[in-house]
Amino acid sequence: MRHGEADNNVKRILVGRNIESHLTSQGKQQVEDTAKYLKEISIDKVYVSPVIRAVETAEITCKELGLEYQIDERLFEIELGKLVGMNYEEILDKYENPFLKFYSGDQQMLENFGVESFSMVKERIKHILDEVIEIYPDKNVLFITHLDPIKAAISLLLDLRAEALYQWHIRNASLTILKHESKILSLSGVNVMGIHRYLNE
């Protein structure tokens, strides 16, 4: 589950993992809506990124589900280095699409901006997925995290080009559903959320 809409999403500001950005009232409503869907299945364990917008999402979700959550740094937002605090459109105007270069693993861009590589994000997401499949082979586990860790999980399963990853938007408070059989993961759903949101977003 991606965190609900936060202030930085509305303002189109990159805050990464170091600047606090809280859920908006709409973001809280998004999370409540998704949490109601989650009540229809048995969630056994919840892991969450340490970033405040993810923690606030976990608090709303776990209150609805009657569960506790566990912080796990492998679900952290990516390290954005020098891009932190900048406006999304400003970055596109000023630089030659560093986001696309991030997904393609452009080493010079990563070094110039001090951004965590997408391959490193994939590595930490693979680590937590492998661990959870081992510990909870027959359980439903919820991860509450961010856009790029979710794209990393998808990328581990699908051989997507950088352009496809860049264009693929993961909606706030939507579910990306992974299913495993005999420790082999498959992608069962992306951007799963209330039908009213498909019409309006």
Side-chain angles (χ1 to χ4, degrees):
M1 181 179 182
R2 187 183 177 195
H3 62 78
E5 179 191 81
D7 293 325
N8 66 295
N9 300 133
V10 176
K11 296 173 183 174
R12 305 282 285 168
I13 301 292
L14 298 186
V15 295
R17 58 172 68 169
N18 300 312
I19 298 177
E20 283 196 356
S21 184
H22 297 273
L23 296 186
T24 64
S25 56
Q26 180 171 317
K28 291 174 184 175
Q29 186 60 57
Q30 290 170 343
V31 175
E32 286 177 17
D33 289 347
T34 302
K36 286 172 185 168
Y37 284 104
L38 287 169
K39 282 184 83 170
E40 296 180 21
I41 61 175
S42 173
I43 302 293
D44 301 285
K45 183 77 178 176
V46 180
Y47 291 93
V48 61
S49 157
V51 179
I52 190 65
R53 55 193 180 275
V55 171
E56 288 174 351
T57 298
E59 286 170 351
I60 295 167
T61 303
C62 288
K63 183 178 179 183
E64 189 72 35
L65 300 178
L67 294 171
E68 300 292 324
Y69 61 84
Q70 181 177 326
I71 299 285
D72 196 300
E73 293 194 352
R74 289 170 292 185
L75 297 173
F76 241 142
E77 174 63 289
I78 63 169
E79 174 53 63
L80 286 167
K82 295 176 184 174
L83 296 177
V84 169
M86 295 183 71
N87 176 274
Y88 185 86
E89 277 73 26
E90 249 179 59
I91 293 167
L92 291 177
D93 288 342
K94 192 171 181 182
Y95 306 106
E96 189 185 339
N97 201 339
F99 305 108
L100 185 56
K101 291 180 178 179
F102 163 71
Y103 293 117
S104 65
D106 184 294
Q107 199 58 39
Q108 187 175 353
M109 186 283 291
L110 297 172
E111 289 173 4
N112 287 347
F113 292 101
V115 175
E116 179 183 14
S117 72
F118 190 56
S119 62
M120 288 177 69
V121 182
K122 285 169 67 175
E123 188 177 317
R124 55 184 168 89
I125 293 303
K126 183 179 187 307
H127 190 270
I128 192 170
L129 286 172
D130 288 346
E131 181 181 291
V132 163
I133 288 170
E134 195 65 41
I135 299 173
Y136 304 105
D138 302 312
K139 305 291 185 183
N140 294 319
V141 178
L142 176 65
F143 299 122
I144 298 175
T145 184
H146 308 269
L147 175 73
D148 286 310
I150 293 171
K151 285 189 179 184
I154 293 170
S155 183
L156 287 167
L157 306 182
L158 305 178
D159 186 19
L160 296 176
R161 293 177 298 113
E163 291 81 5
L165 282 165
Y166 171 62
Q167 291 169 7
W168 201 339
H169 188 60
I170 305 296
R171 299 290 174 188
N172 290 110
S174 70
L175 300 171
T176 300
I177 301 171
L178 308 181
K179 192 169 184 178
H180 78 89
E181 294 172 284
S182 304
K183 298 186 180 179
I184 298 172
L185 282 169
S186 61
L187 184 63
S188 295
V190 178
N191 282 326
V192 177
M193 55 190 180
I195 193 69
H196 64 282
R197 291 187 59 196
Y198 291 104
L199 302 174
N200 300 320
E201 293 184 18

